[in-house]
Every structure is written in C-alpha cells, then in structure tokens.
C-alpha cells in the first residue's frame, strides 16, 4: 500500500529537531517510524526531536551498541538502530512486543524485515550545502498518513 508522499527540506539540525517534535505531538503507542539514510544524514537528530517532543527527560543518543533504547515521556518510545547489522527480523527484536506499549523509531529501517513502518522517512544529503537535508516522507499505512499530514502542516 502506498499513500501520500511529501518532501521536506531542512537546512539545520534545529529544523530537523522541530520536524521530530511535530511528529511527537501526534505519535501514539503502536506507531512505527522507519528512518533510512547514510551515516550522518540526521536520523538520530530527528529521533532526538521526537524524544524531546514526547517529554523524555534524557536526550536521545544513537543506540549503536545495544540496538535499542527506550525513552519515557508522554508515551514510551523505543529507538532501534540497525547500523551494525545487515538485517534483523522484527520478531527477533521483539519489536511487536515493544509496540504494544510504546511507539517506535528504527534507524536503518531498510534492514528490518517482517514488519513495515507506518511512516517511512528517507534522508538524503544535499551535495551543495553541508547542513541541507532532503527528507522524503512516505505514508505506508492510514496511521502513517495521519502522521505525515501533521508534519506537512507543522510550521517551519
Ligand atoms: P545519523 O543518525 O543519520 O547517522 P545523526 O543524526 O547522528 O545522523 O547526525 C547528523 C549530523 O549532521 C549531526 O552532526 C548534525 O549536527 C548534522 N546536521 C547538519 N545539518 C543537519 C540537518 N539539516 N538535519 C540534521 N542534522 C544535520
Ligand atoms: Mg544515527
């Protein structure tokens, strides 16, 4: 199923944080956001915005050594990073169990098998400017479409 797409241009880490905060305003238990893009593209920065927007007391950091971190804000957020793995079954991660009481964000989501995120965000560098990123958002489910609409309408 392919629903709406939008592309956002961010020109600073702060703008990417704010996109994360816009997502946090609507995110709920069971939502899964997949992030794809090369190292340094901004996946963790966006996740920090989501965690901060949810009111998590500690800043999000890349869970490269432990695969998953959990933040507790308005709702729980599980942050998965598959950077060190070539592929991972959602069931091996217990991701569906996490999603019973948390929302989820997965970095390197193209390596996740067995579970499709509601919203997919592909980060691309802009060759011309070091701080510019192109974020292609695609809703995969009706839930993803609601999240995408919220981000598209967020002030920038
Ligand atoms: P990833 O998790 O995708 O590997 P990070 O979020 O850890 O990437 O790092 C992104 C890096 O790029 C940070 O050092 C951040 O300050 C910088 N940066 C520069 N411009 C942007 C932008 N527009 N959005 C996000 N990060 C940016
Ligand atoms: Mg990262």
């Amino acid at each position: 199923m392919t629903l709406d797409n939008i592309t956002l241009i961010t020109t600073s880490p702060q703008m990417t944080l704010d996109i994360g905060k816009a997502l946090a305003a609507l995110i709920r238990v069971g939502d899964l956001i997949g992030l794809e893009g090369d190292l340094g593209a901004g996946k963790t920065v966006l996740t920090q915005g989501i965690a901060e927007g949810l009111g998590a007391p500690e800043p999000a950091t890349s869970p490269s050594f432990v695969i998953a971190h959990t933040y507790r804000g308005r709702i729980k957020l599980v942050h998965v990073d598959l950077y060190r793995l070539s592929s991972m079954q959602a069931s091996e991660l217990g991701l569906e169990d996490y999603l019973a009481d948390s929302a989820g964000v997965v970095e390197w989501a193209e390596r996740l098998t067995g579970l499709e995120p509601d919203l997919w965000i592909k980060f691309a560098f802009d060759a011309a400017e070091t701080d510019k990123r192109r974020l292609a958002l695609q809703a995969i489910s009706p839930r993803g479409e609601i999240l995408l609409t919220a981000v598209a309408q967020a002030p920038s």
Side-chain angles (χ1 to χ4, degrees):
M1 182 164 45
T2 297
L3 300 165
D4 289 340
N5 290 281
I6 57 165
T7 299
L8 300 176
I9 303 292
T10 106
T11 53
S12 66
Q14 185 61 49
M15 259 182 93
T16 302
L17 271 176
D18 289 343
I19 294 168
K21 286 185 195 170
L23 272 169
L26 268 215
I27 211 166
R28 69 182 191 200
V29 168
D31 289 342
L32 184 61
I33 297 174
L35 308 181
E36 180 179 352
D38 287 340
L39 207 58
K43 302 181 296 297
T44 299
V45 171
L46 186 91
T47 307
Q48 285 165 348
I50 297 174
E52 197 181 318
L54 289 174
E58 308 160 50
T61 52
S62 229
S64 294
F65 294 98
V66 291
I67 304 180
H69 276 168
T70 302
Y71 311 109
R72 284 159 201 278
R74 173 174 67 76
I75 58 170
K76 271 200 280 182
L77 179 72
V78 59
H79 176 197
V80 175
D81 192 335
L82 301 180
Y83 173 58
R84 277 158 208 284
L85 302 167
S86 53
S87 85
M88 188 73 179
Q89 263 287 337
S91 58
E92 288 177 79
L93 270 171
L95 192 53
E96 274 158 308
D97 295 336
Y98 277 116
L99 293 176
D101 70 351
S102 311
V105 178
V106 182
E107 296 191 42
W108 301 92
E110 68 275 26
R111 299 178 181 179
L112 182 71
T113 56
L115 196 60
E116 184 112 79
D118 298 291
L119 181 65
W120 198 271
I121 307 181
K122 287 188 186 176
F123 290 70
F125 289 92
D126 189 289
E129 289 175 55
T130 51
D131 285 353
K132 195 164 161 185
R133 307 284 192 270
R134 189 175 299 268
L135 274 54
L137 285 75
Q138 186 185 4
I140 307 296
S141 69
R143 227 354 245 173
E145 205 167 9
I146 290 168
L147 293 172
L148 183 141
T149 306
V151 181
Q153 289 169 351
S156 57

